[in-house]
Amino acid sequence: MVNGSWPAAVVFDFDGLLMDTESTSFESWRHEWEQWGLALDPATFFAEHGGDITEQRYAELAAAVGLAFDKDLSHSRRIAYRDGLHAGLDLLPGMRDWLREAGQAGTRLAIASSSPRRWVTGHLGRVGARPEFEVLACGDEVAAAKPAPDVYLLALDRLGLAGAEAVAVEDSAHGVAAAKTAGMRCIAIPNRFSPASRFAAADLVLDSAGQVSLSQALQGLPAARTEGQPPAGRQTPSR
């Protein structure tokens, strides 16, 4: 710990947590399905892992459209629509306060994302948040996407820390699984497409980063376990 309940580092997921790119992804695909006179079902849109399923989504759209489908047209139109949505996208409510608070406490910050590095750095740079993070670990640098722990293990390695010395913050159930496998305590802030009932493995579940301060969230976590200790029960946030 660097200061009371503060861990040595806090490691954030990116998509759907720091920035609502889960929503812009879904909206871009829904818009594109509508261009072909079709409706996209949100219940079947999101994968149970952090891997890239772009080609699978185009294949599903092509199958639904039939012979008239033009992938090049579809892709360029969807990306243009998505980029328009991204133009006004900032960090999610409360996140800038959490980053500022961690910096004041001397806690190191990192990102562990299944997305490619250029995606993460591009968005962070656009909103001026790249300097906040000492370490980035991204999906194009590891063998397996979440729920595999690879990207968290890479972040920990770059930080020079063991899992018990850092806290993860996640928005998806498979992300929580990855963090826990890496030996980390985990705060979950479910994205709008993930029901809170799926986050039983998280140590703490919040509605948003604006619900409590980062300090309060960390105080709501069980103590970090040393090897051989039994797991502590799940906590609720201090208010």
Side-chain angles (χ1 to χ4, degrees), residues 2-3 6 100-107:
V2 296
N3 179 18
W6 288 87
R100 186 179 306 112
E101 195 180 351
Q104 292 170 349
T107 291

Side-chain angles (χ1 to χ4, degrees), residues 215-235:
S215 176
Q216 289 173 314
L218 293 169
Q219 289 169 11
L221 293 175
R225 285 197 295 146
T226 57
E227 189 173 350
Q229 283 185 321
R234 182 173 154 194
Q235 305 294 306

Side-chain angles (χ1 to χ4, degrees), residues 97-179:
D97 292 336
W98 277 29
L99 300 180
R100 186 179 306 112
E101 195 180 351
Q104 292 170 349
T107 291
R108 301 162 72 190
L109 295 174
I111 287 176
S113 172
S114 291
S115 291
R117 189 179 186 91
R118 58 179 170 73
W119 172 264
V120 175
T121 57
H123 283 295
L124 291 177
R126 181 174 52 77
V127 299
R130 175 64 185 91
E132 304 287 347
F133 298 95
E134 176 183 343
V135 163
L136 300 183
C138 299
D140 52 353
E141 302 178 287
V142 297
K146 301 171 186 176
D150 299 31
V151 74
Y152 274 111
L153 295 174
L154 178 59
L156 291 169
D157 181 68
R158 288 176 173 171
L159 289 163
L161 298 174
E165 298 177 276
V167 169
V169 189
E170 271 287 350
D171 73 298
S172 68
H174 58 262
V176 172

Side-chain angles (χ1 to χ4, degrees), residues 17-234:
L17 178 78
L18 283 170
M19 190 171 287
D20 194 13
T21 48
E22 299 284 15
S23 290
T24 58
S25 174
F26 174 72
E27 292 301 335
S28 74
W29 282 100
R30 178 162 65 178
H31 178 264
E32 185 54 29
W33 276 64
E34 289 173 349
Q35 305 315 297
W36 300 97
L38 300 168
L40 177 61
D41 181 4
T44 62
F45 180 73
F46 289 97
E48 296 298 321
H49 58 80
D52 184 358
I53 60 168
T54 302
E55 291 306 313
Q56 176 184 327
R57 286 173 173 160
Y58 278 122
E60 290 169 353
L61 178 55
V65 173
L67 294 176
F69 183 68
D70 182 332
K71 183 180 177 182
D72 290 338
L73 168 64
S74 184
H75 178 70
S76 61
R77 185 167 56 194
R78 185 183 71 82
I79 295 302
Y81 185 81
R82 188 194 67 185
D83 288 349
L85 296 176
H86 286 164
L89 203 63
D90 196 2
L91 299 186
L92 278 162
M95 279 298 169
R96 289 192 184 275
D97 292 336
W98 277 29
L99 300 180
R100 186 179 306 112
E101 195 180 351
Q104 292 170 349
T107 291
R108 301 162 72 190
L109 295 174
I111 287 176
S113 172
S114 291
S115 291
R117 189 179 186 91
R118 58 179 170 73
W119 172 264
V120 175
T121 57
H123 283 295
L124 291 177
R126 181 174 52 77
V127 299
R130 175 64 185 91
E132 304 287 347
F133 298 95
E134 176 183 343
V135 163
L136 300 183
C138 299
D140 52 353
E141 302 178 287
V142 297
K146 301 171 186 176
D150 299 31
V151 74
Y152 274 111
L153 295 174
L154 178 59
L156 291 169
D157 181 68
R158 288 176 173 171
L159 289 163
L161 298 174
E165 298 177 276
V167 169
V169 189
E170 271 287 350
D171 73 298
S172 68
H174 58 262
V176 172
K180 299 296 285 185
T181 302
M184 305 169 73
R185 292 172 295 160
C186 188
I187 298 168
I189 306 177
N191 65 60
R192 59 176 280 217
F193 303 98
S194 298
S197 60
R198 300 189 58 205
F199 290 79
D203 297 291
L204 178 71
V205 181
L206 301 173
D207 293 331
S208 77
Q211 181 179 349
V212 296
S213 68
L214 178 55
S215 176
Q216 289 173 314
L218 293 169
Q219 289 169 11
L221 293 175
R225 285 197 295 146
T226 57
E227 189 173 350
Q229 283 185 321
R234 182 173 154 194

